[in-house]
Amino acid sequence: MEERGMSREEIESLLHEKKRKDIAYDKILSSMCTYPHEIAAYAHRMFLESNLGDPGLFPGTKEMEDEAIRMIGALLGNEHAYGYISTGGTESNIQAIHAIRNRKRREGLKDMNIIVPETAHFSFDKIADILSIEVRKAALDEELRMDVNSLEELIDDKTICVVGIAGTTEFGQIDPIKKISEIALEKNIFLHVDAAFGGFVIPFLDEKYEFDFSLDGVSSISIDPHKMGMSTIPAGCILFREESYLNELAVSTPYLTTKEQCSLIGTRSGASAVATFSVLKYLGREGLREIVGECMRLTRMLVRGARKIGISPVIEPVMNLVTLSVEEVEKVANALEGKGWRVSVTRVPKALRLVIMPHVKEETVKKFLEDLKDVV
Ligand SMILES: *Cc1c(COP(=O)(O)O)cnc(C)c1O
């Protein structure tokens, strides 16, 4: 830091200069984030200083967080779920496993393990590290869903949690949550559903999938308002069916307005919680359904166009995420980047990965297909 500060004008021009280096979302097909809805941005700005780490000072903000939790819970089959607006899917996943780990540790269990599918998000590698827990990976079936036979083989008396994914990060696939829920109930194991991406998509698809609290075996769910919920960053959400699991996370907070805190982080953004509340109130289910409907229309258009140039999807898209089997995929991805696109590549099987977020327009898909045809 310099001794003397810069002028307001200098800072502004510096910010504009740096902003130009950032990539606009318009040609980004690799990210699960998007422009926040205008109403979310408005609400976020209005509550910038609000700290939900000390909610007694911000009771208005807290009311909106509680209402957001109720709305999201209702969307996921349980308006009496317990939880909070987190910083994202990573924190939500950590806290779900953290809660059941604490419960089982109190009961005296040691050397615990959890089981996730091979497609699990890398946040579970962080969980293995931070919570010192073994993370076992179940094999997939041909459609890249968790293979329940493999799951059953991996379960032993140290298994404290099974994780099913409703909308995998790489392929947009939905694990057979109903079957997994039955296994979890039968073996009395905690089931966490990672719907960070899919939570705001699956309820609005034409095809119906059971994945939420309407299944008795589901104990907790992660869902990210900052992905398909059109909120500002950072906004995730962790929900538990039973309050007692949230209480496993509580630490006492002696000098704050409330006695306890369950979030992983201390000072946390009231702004993005309010943004989440606002955008859900504004759009309603109707508005969200419309957004998902348009993303799915463009997803199907992209797949049809790809097929016309001889490229097939790895799986028939379930959500607004397309993976294409192309030869020498890294080369293709690089060539597309040369044309200004941002795309990504999956691990196994290798494929070109394209996320059709709400910033993607019909024109974008057409232009992309032209460039893809050129490149292959
Ligand atoms: C994005 C994602 C996460 C991680 O969420 P962050 O908000 O990036 O922390 C976890 N699980 C799934 C399935 C995801 O798609």
Side-chain angles (χ1 to χ4, degrees):
M1 204 191 302
E2 305 296 335
E3 185 58 31
R4 271 196 81 185
M6 296 165 80
S7 71
R8 171 79 194 213
E9 287 71 29
E10 282 172 313
I11 298 291
E12 284 186 9
S13 89
L14 197 56
L15 292 179
H16 284 295
E17 182 192 318
K18 299 293 185 191
K19 180 92 178 175
R20 279 195 294 276
K21 290 192 179 173
D22 287 355
I23 299 168
Y25 273 114
D26 308 59
K27 292 184 92 176
I28 297 180
L29 300 172
S30 57
S31 175
M32 289 182 156
C33 290
T34 190
Y35 294 112
H37 193 283
E38 183 276 322
I39 196 79
Y42 171 84
H44 193 107
R45 270 194 306 274
M46 186 185 281
F47 284 81
L48 270 183
E49 71 282 13
S50 172
N51 169 23
L52 277 171
D54 201 359
L57 300 178
F58 305 96
T61 303
K62 183 64 188 149
E63 276 176 23
M64 287 187 273
E65 180 184 40
D66 291 346
E67 174 64 7
I69 292 299
R70 200 197 56 74
M71 286 190 280
I72 298 170
L75 180 68
L76 301 177
N78 181 1
E79 67 174 315
H80 301 295
Y82 301 86
Y84 68 92
I85 300 296
S86 68
T87 50
T90 300
E91 182 184 353
S92 301
N93 286 343
I94 291 171
Q95 290 295 72
I97 310 305
H98 188 187
I100 183 64
R101 195 285 309 263
N102 284 0
R103 169 73 54 92
K104 293 295 174 182
R105 192 174 57 182
R106 270 196 310 109
E107 290 172 6
L109 197 67
K110 290 196 173 71
D111 305 320
M112 299 172 241
N113 67 70
I114 68 170
I115 302 170
V116 304
E118 270 171 11
T119 40
H121 183 264
F122 54 78
S123 49
F124 288 95
D125 297 331
K126 299 183 184 178
I127 287 168
D129 180 18
I130 297 169
L131 295 174
S132 299
I133 204 163
E134 185 196 349
V135 176
R136 299 181 174 177
K137 299 201 169 164
L140 309 176
D141 67 14
E142 268 159 26
E143 295 289 303
L144 306 176
R145 289 176 295 230
M146 186 195 248
D147 175 8
V148 287
N149 295 320
S150 169
L151 166 64
E152 287 194 286
E153 277 166 25
L154 289 173
I155 292 175
D156 63 18
D157 54 5
K158 304 281 191 182
T159 302
I160 60 163
C161 176
V162 173
V163 177
I165 307 178
T168 58
T169 314
E170 282 182 292
F171 297 95
Q173 183 56 284
I174 304 171
D175 285 330
I177 309 291
K178 183 162 192 217
K179 192 84 221 317
I180 299 169
S181 164
E182 283 161 12
I183 295 169
L185 279 177
E186 181 196 309
K187 308 218 183 229
N188 195 21
I189 299 174
F190 188 99
L191 168 56
H192 173 63
V193 173
D194 182 357
F197 181 59
F200 282 109
V201 177
I202 301 165
F204 305 111
L205 294 174
D206 295 335
E207 188 109 13
K208 292 300 156 222
Y209 295 90
E210 291 182 278
F211 77 104
D212 62 15
F213 289 118
S214 55
L215 297 169
D216 290 336
V218 174
S219 300
S220 62
I221 304 181
S222 309
I223 172 172
D224 273 2
H226 68 203
K227 287 181 179 167
M228 283 297 287
M230 310 302 291
S231 189
T232 54
I233 297 169
C237 176
I238 174 68
L239 294 175
F240 292 96
R241 182 188 294 275
E242 291 171 27
E243 191 173 20
S244 69
Y245 282 110
L246 191 59
N247 294 339
E248 296 288 350
L249 300 169
V251 295
S252 50
T253 46
Y255 43 80
L256 300 185
T257 52
T258 44
K259 285 206 227 49
E260 292 179 338
Q261 194 174 84
C262 300
S263 53
L264 185 61
I265 53 165
T267 300
R268 68 188 174 98
S269 172
S272 52
V274 174
T276 301
F277 164 88
S278 303
V279 73
L280 296 182
K281 282 285 180 200
Y282 183 85
L283 290 171
R285 292 187 188 218
E286 196 178 57
L288 288 169
R289 190 175 299 115
E290 210 168 283
I291 290 169
V292 170
E294 178 64 2
C295 290
M296 290 308 294
R297 186 180 77 83
L298 296 178
T299 297
R300 288 188 290 267
M301 186 177 145
L302 177 56
V303 172
R304 268 200 312 276
R307 282 203 163 104
K308 269 194 198 136
I309 49 177
I311 301 171
S312 317
V314 177
I315 56 164
E316 211 44 57
V318 175
M319 308 199 314
N320 48 328
L321 198 164
V322 179
T323 43
L324 298 174
S325 308
V326 293
E327 310 257 316
E328 299 190 87
V329 62
E330 267 99 3
K331 264 195 193 159
V332 170
N334 282 337
L336 287 166
E337 296 227 344
K339 289 177 179 285
W341 299 99
R342 285 297 176 273
V343 294
S344 56
V345 173
T346 58
R347 293 167 298 178
V348 206
K350 273 215 177 303
L352 188 65
R353 171 179 174 273
L354 310 163
V355 193
I356 311 307
M357 292 301 288
H359 58 258
V360 177
K361 306 294 171 214
E362 188 166 325
E363 273 315 299
T364 322
V365 173
K366 285 184 180 156
K367 189 80 198 36
F368 178 78
L369 282 167
E370 282 170 23
D371 286 350
L372 181 64
K373 191 175 172 185
D374 273 1
V375 162
V376 298

